[in-house]
Amino acid sequence: MPRLKAITTGSIPSFLDMILNFAESDTTSDLSTQDTWLSQMVAKERGGSIMYGDDTWLKLFPNTFIRADGTSSFFVSDFTEVDNNVTRHIPGELANDDWNVMIMHYLGMDHIGHKAGPRRLYQVDPLTQLSVNMMPKQQEMDGILRSIYEAILSKEHLNSTLLVMCGDHGMNEGGNHGGSAPGETSTALVFVSPKFRSVSKGRACPTEAQQDYSYYRTIEQSDIAPTLAGLLGFPVPINSLGVFISDFLSMWDPGKRPR
């Protein structure tokens, strides 16, 4: 929950947010009345918002989504159905044109981390040195992202879609998170759109693994909200402490850049 607060508001979670994160029945952490990129998109009145996956979103944003199917994040032994329940909605929603935000919060990879860790010795693939469950799950997620991007390219009503892939947290070698180790605080973030071809720097992908998880560049999680605001054309959430990711500034003429 604290990480979702940072991603949606651009603010820094408090110690109280961390405590309430363990209370599954808590309803006091409602963000539906706060200024977030999600509330700004709803205010555009150009379609509703939909959500599939981790039901934390439904607790943080009650009565926000026109369609939703939430799944509890506490059944950590489930690596499969918890994700299939998200994926089964994708083909139908990609054909719909009545939404302007679709959130898909997959849980399977997080569950694998908690149960098996990334490299637990008794469950490691000798070739990849990863948990035997981790590589198939990564390949599954890669295929889902590919299918969404292909739909963006082929469907006219999706041709201005921005696809953002990110993690709310990482994990340490024991499969846990919440600490300050690089593996716990370093997560992937990718912005995908055909419109970004003009600002692409031709960087190699995939790239070599780094122990400190330092790749192309590093940003703060709080930078996501103001960056979405600039790219999608709505005001930066009022409590945001983040900054616009400068890599995208070249999309505008110097005199028309977001301020």
Side-chain angles (χ1 to χ4, degrees):
M1 184 270 286
R3 296 296 96 210
L4 296 186
K5 181 176 181 180
I7 289 172
T8 55
T9 67
S11 62
I12 307 300
S14 67
F15 182 68
L16 180 60
D17 291 322
M18 291 196 329
I19 296 175
L20 293 175
N21 188 48
F22 293 98
E24 187 175 12
S25 60
D26 171 58
T27 58
T28 63
S29 304
D30 189 333
L31 294 179
S32 61
T33 59
Q34 294 194 30
D35 192 8
T36 64
W37 60 257
L38 183 55
S39 66
Q40 293 281 3
M41 289 297 289
V42 171
K44 276 178 167 286
E45 297 182 350
R46 296 179 184 173
S49 56
I50 56 180
M51 195 289 302
Y52 300 107
D54 189 344
D55 63 4
T56 303
W57 288 90
L58 301 180
K59 298 169 185 175
L60 291 176
F61 300 97
N63 306 313
T64 298
F65 303 103
I66 60 172
R67 290 187 295 278
D69 191 358
T71 306
S72 174
S73 61
F74 286 88
F75 296 109
V76 295
S77 296
D78 181 5
F79 303 163
T80 306
E81 292 303 318
V82 71
D83 285 348
N84 289 346
N85 199 49
V86 178
T87 304
R88 69 188 178 93
H89 294 285
I90 293 178
E93 293 296 2
L94 292 178
N96 292 331
D97 61 0
D98 63 343
W99 54 268
N100 65 0
V101 174
M102 177 164 65
I103 296 168
M104 296 166 287
H105 192 141
Y106 283 89
L107 290 165
M109 194 169 294
D110 177 69
H111 290 182
I112 291 170
H114 284 302
K115 291 293 288 185
R119 283 184 276 268
R120 289 260 175 96
L121 292 179
Y122 64 88
Q123 286 186 318
V124 162
D125 184 312
L127 295 178
T128 65
Q129 293 301 301
L130 294 172
S131 163
V132 293
N133 300 111
M134 189 63 75
M135 185 61 73
K137 180 59 67 175
Q138 290 175 343
Q139 292 170 339
E140 176 189 343
M141 295 296 104
D142 187 63
I144 292 166
L145 286 168
R146 182 184 298 109
S147 67
I148 295 173
Y149 186 70
E150 289 174 349
I152 293 173
L153 293 176
S154 62
K155 297 180 184 294
E156 184 177 356
H157 69 283
L158 296 176
N159 60 17
S160 292
T161 299
L162 171 62
L163 172 61
V164 181
M165 188 281 290
C166 67
D168 53 342
H169 59 75
M171 69 176 69
N172 59 25
E173 292 301 310
N176 302 311
H177 54 83
S180 58
E184 297 169 79
T185 59
S186 303
T187 64
L189 173 64
V190 182
F191 288 77
V192 183
S193 169
K195 298 181 183 296
F196 291 157
R197 288 173 179 154
S198 62
V199 298
S200 173
K201 297 181 179 179
R203 289 166 170 164
C205 181
T207 186
E208 294 295 325
Q210 303 290 335
Q211 288 298 315
D212 61 357
Y213 302 94
S214 180
Y215 294 104
Y216 307 111
R217 66 163 298 180
T218 301
I219 68 160
E220 298 295 332
Q221 238 169 8
S222 56
D223 296 340
I224 295 175
T227 301
L228 290 176
L231 293 175
L232 299 178
F234 56 81
V236 175
I238 192 170
N239 293 318
S240 174
L241 300 175
V243 297
F244 186 85
I245 298 174
S246 59
D247 297 57
F248 296 116
L249 288 175
S250 59
M251 293 185 66
W252 288 269
D253 293 332
K256 299 180 180 180
R257 290 177 179 176
R259 296 180 182 273

